[in-house]
């Protein structure tokens, strides 16, 4: 049986983890490699690295971070942020990423999704979709959601559901759906849009934006609530509020099928 | 002395993580795209991502296909990963149909697009690809899968571990003599994946 995934996400700026990661036994809280190893050991099902650097030098640093992290973990690695063209995807996959997320560039040129999927296979291409709920007009009953780009600063006029369907039809392997209304609030995912997208598209959906508790993870993955295939979270894990293992236990206790946490048993020959 | 493994580079996806995992479990890895080098290998790992198509046709019909068959027929330990396992079988139903290496009996099929997550009429459609961690039987261990196609074999005695996705039960690992294959990605399956690779490297078994 396929399990639901828990995916911690690290925001990287100029090669460092933004805000730091607060775990016991971590010597350098801003080092992405140490943080990635810690998550991997705790039983993360996958790891996500997002580059939030704006400069060209920062991009090169990020590729180096991806290479160093990929050399330390034995679980899937998804990377994104600032991916504009095929050359960026090639560089990141070459550095050891398993999946690359495209966002604004795919909105600007949807055929980029097909081009990337044909070239590298759908299983490596994630389309990241940032959405915001539109203020309902008088008489509108169902909430409408719009796609936003550039960190939520620019609206696109695209309907979120239609765009996700189009991305799937063009060959995306997964949708990483982030609610910009919820991001950073710790109020929980936007369950309504997550559920709608997940039911509508034939590919896996990763819920993102707003997690403040383990219950929020459960809601995102519950087939009757968010119905997502995977739950992404950043701050609840960064600040050491919960470990991945605690999240897995909570989900399992509440009826969400997850891969059980397995503590390391000395398989590694080298450090 | 560490076991020397030839990791076959046949343009079917990124090899870095497989190489890294093999080194981690004690293998000495040589990456090669040279059929002559592969033909003389004492242990071969053949990974692949994606699906049957023009690239696999060129491989199967070319010198690399002949080299892989030679290793297998000679009896040296061989492990096919994901597409590398699927290519051991006869054919794929993918557009137009493509041949595999025909070492083992069976064909490669796409998951049906209408599988449901439960019995209720409003149950959600199952997503394709089958992507994420699934348990295998009889061991109950979890491995990371990412595939839209699976092997349907006419010889169930080949199957070592089974996995189920929706209504389809398919081989997670296969074994026949010196030939092994896994549908999952051991290099992405953390401890269970490293254990699997180590038992292959140490014993030429899985």
């Amino acid at each position: 049986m396929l399990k639901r995934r828990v995916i911690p996400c690290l925001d990287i700026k100029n090669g460092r983890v933004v805000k730091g990661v607060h775990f016991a036994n971590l010597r350098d809280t801003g080092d992405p490699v140490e943080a990635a190893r810690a998550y991997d050991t705790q039983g993360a099902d996958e790891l996500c690295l997002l580059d939030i650097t704006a400069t060209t030098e920062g991009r090169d640093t990020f590729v180096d971070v991806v290479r160093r992290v990929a050399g330390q973990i034995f679980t899937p690695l998804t990377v994104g942020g600032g991916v504009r063209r095929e050359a960026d995807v090639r560089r990141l996959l070459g550095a050891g990423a398993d999946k690359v997320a495209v966002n604004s560039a795919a909105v600007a040129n949807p055929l980029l999704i097909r081009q990337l999927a044909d070239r590298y296979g759908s299983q490596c291409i994630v389309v990241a979709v940032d959405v915001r709920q539109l203020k309902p007009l008088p008489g509108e009953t169902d909430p409408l959601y719009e796609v936003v780009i550039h960190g939520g600063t620019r609206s696109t006029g695209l309907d979120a559901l239609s765009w996700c369907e189009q991305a799937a039809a063009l060959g995306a392997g997964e949708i990483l759906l982030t609610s910009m209304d919820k991001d950073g609030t710790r109020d929980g995912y936007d369950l309504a849009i997550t559920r709608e997208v997940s039911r509508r598209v034939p590919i896996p959906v990763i819920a993102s934006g707003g997690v403040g508790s383990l219950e929020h993870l459960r809601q995102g993955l519950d087939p009757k609530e968010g119905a997502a295939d995977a739950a992404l979270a950043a701050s609840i894990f960064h600040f050491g509020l919960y470990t991945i293992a605690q999240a897995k236990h909570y989900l399992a206790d509440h009826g969400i099928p997850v891969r059980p946490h397995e503590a390391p048993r000395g398989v590694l020959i080298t450090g | 002395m560490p076991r020397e493994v030839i990791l076959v580079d046949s343009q079917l996806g990124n090899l870095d993580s497989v190489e890294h995992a093999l080194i981690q479990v004690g293998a000495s890895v040589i990456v090669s795209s040279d059929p002559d080098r592969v033909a003389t290998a004492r242990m071969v790992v053949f990974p692949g991502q994606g699906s049957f198509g023009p690239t696999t046709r060129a491989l199967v019909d070319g010198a690399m296909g002949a080299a892989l068959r030679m290793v297998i027929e000679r009896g040296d330990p061989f492990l096919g990963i994901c597409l590398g396992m699927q290519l051991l079988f006869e054919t794929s139903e993918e557009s137009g149909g493509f041949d595999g290496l025909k070492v083992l009996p069976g064909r490669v099929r796409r998951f049906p697009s209408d599988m449901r997550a439960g019995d209720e009429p409003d149950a959600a459609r199952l997503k394709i690809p089958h992507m994420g961690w699934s348990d295998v039987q009889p061991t109950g261990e979890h491995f990371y899968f990412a595939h839209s196609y699976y092997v349907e074999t006419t010889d169930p005695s080949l199957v070592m571990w089974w996995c189920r996705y929706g209504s389809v039960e398919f081989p997670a690992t296969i074994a026949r003599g010196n030939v092994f294959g896994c549908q999952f990605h051991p290099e992405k399956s953390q401890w269970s994946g490293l254990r699997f690779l180590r038992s292959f490297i140490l014993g030429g078994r899985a």
Side-chain angles (χ1 to χ4, degrees), chain B residues 29-45:
Chain B
V29 182
I30 295 168
V31 177
S32 181
S33 56
D34 175 6
D36 290 338
R37 185 75 187 82
V38 171
T40 59
R42 304 315 306 266
M43 187 175 259
V44 167
V45 174

Side-chain angles (χ1 to χ4, degrees), chain A residues 157-189:
Chain A
L158 279 174
D159 173 64
L161 277 174
S162 317
W163 170 237
C164 291
E165 284 183 312
Q166 193 189 347
L170 286 167
E174 278 182 305
I175 300 281
L176 168 54
L177 183 73
T178 304
S179 159
M180 297 313 282
D181 301 315
K182 295 289 194 165
D183 202 35
T185 63
R186 304 200 194 179
D187 278 352
Y189 297 119

Side-chain angles (χ1 to χ4, degrees), chain A residues 114-239:
Chain A
R114 173 157 291 156
Q115 185 195 341
L116 294 172
D118 283 349
R119 177 121 200 186
Y120 301 104
S122 289
Q123 81 284 347
C124 340
I125 306 303
V126 178
V127 173
V129 180
D130 295 343
V131 301
R132 174 174 289 157
Q133 188 178 347
L134 294 170
K135 238 189 178 139
L137 296 172
E140 278 179 351
T141 46
D142 291 336
L144 288 169
Y145 288 82
E146 180 194 25
V147 176
V148 290
I149 52 173
H150 296 291
T153 58
R154 220 173 290 174
S155 72
T156 63
L158 279 174
D159 173 64
L161 277 174
S162 317
W163 170 237
C164 291
E165 284 183 312
Q166 193 189 347
L170 286 167
E174 278 182 305
I175 300 281
L176 168 54
L177 183 73
T178 304
S179 159
M180 297 313 282
D181 301 315
K182 295 289 194 165
D183 202 35
T185 63
R186 304 200 194 179
D187 278 352
Y189 297 119
D190 186 323
L191 297 172
I193 187 65
T194 306
R195 180 173 59 244
E196 276 307 302
V197 170
S198 191
R199 290 203 169 155
R200 202 75 83 80
V201 300
I203 56 176
V205 172
I206 305 165
S208 158
V211 171
S213 70
L214 299 182
E215 173 60 12
H216 292 151
L217 296 176
R218 189 203 63 74
Q219 291 169 348
L221 297 171
D222 189 311
K224 296 200 164 14
E225 297 184 61
D229 300 274
L232 183 139
S235 57
I236 61 161
F237 298 129
H238 290 351
F239 296 118

Side-chain angles (χ1 to χ4, degrees), chain A residues 1-119:
Chain A
M1 177 192 207
L2 180 65
K3 304 302 191 286
R4 307 275 161 170
R5 286 170 277 159
V6 175
I7 307 177
C9 179
L10 295 168
D11 288 345
I12 309 293
K13 189 170 189 178
N14 298 316
R16 304 282 294 168
V17 178
V18 176
K19 294 182 209 154
V21 179
H22 297 260
F23 303 137
N25 311 323
L26 213 60
R27 282 165 304 197
D28 176 353
T29 58
D31 178 12
V33 178
E34 289 232 15
R37 282 179 70 145
Y39 283 142
D40 195 48
T41 308
Q42 287 178 11
D45 295 313
E46 194 166 324
L47 185 69
C48 181
L49 298 178
L50 286 184
D51 184 18
I52 58 166
T53 315
T55 62
T56 315
E57 309 82 66
R59 299 254 174 266
D60 291 339
T61 312
F62 183 66
V63 173
D64 184 55
V65 167
V66 171
R67 183 171 294 112
R68 289 189 295 130
V69 168
Q72 290 294 330
I73 64 169
F74 297 97
T75 42
L77 177 62
T78 298
V79 305
V83 176
R84 295 201 166 79
R85 52 188 76 83
E86 198 200 318
D88 299 330
V89 174
R90 188 167 57 234
R91 233 158 49 121
L92 291 165
L93 291 174
D98 297 293
K99 311 179 197 178
V100 176
V102 285
N103 191 335
S104 309
V107 172
N109 172 23
L111 290 178
L112 177 66
I113 301 170
R114 173 157 291 156
Q115 185 195 341
L116 294 172
D118 283 349
R119 177 121 200 186

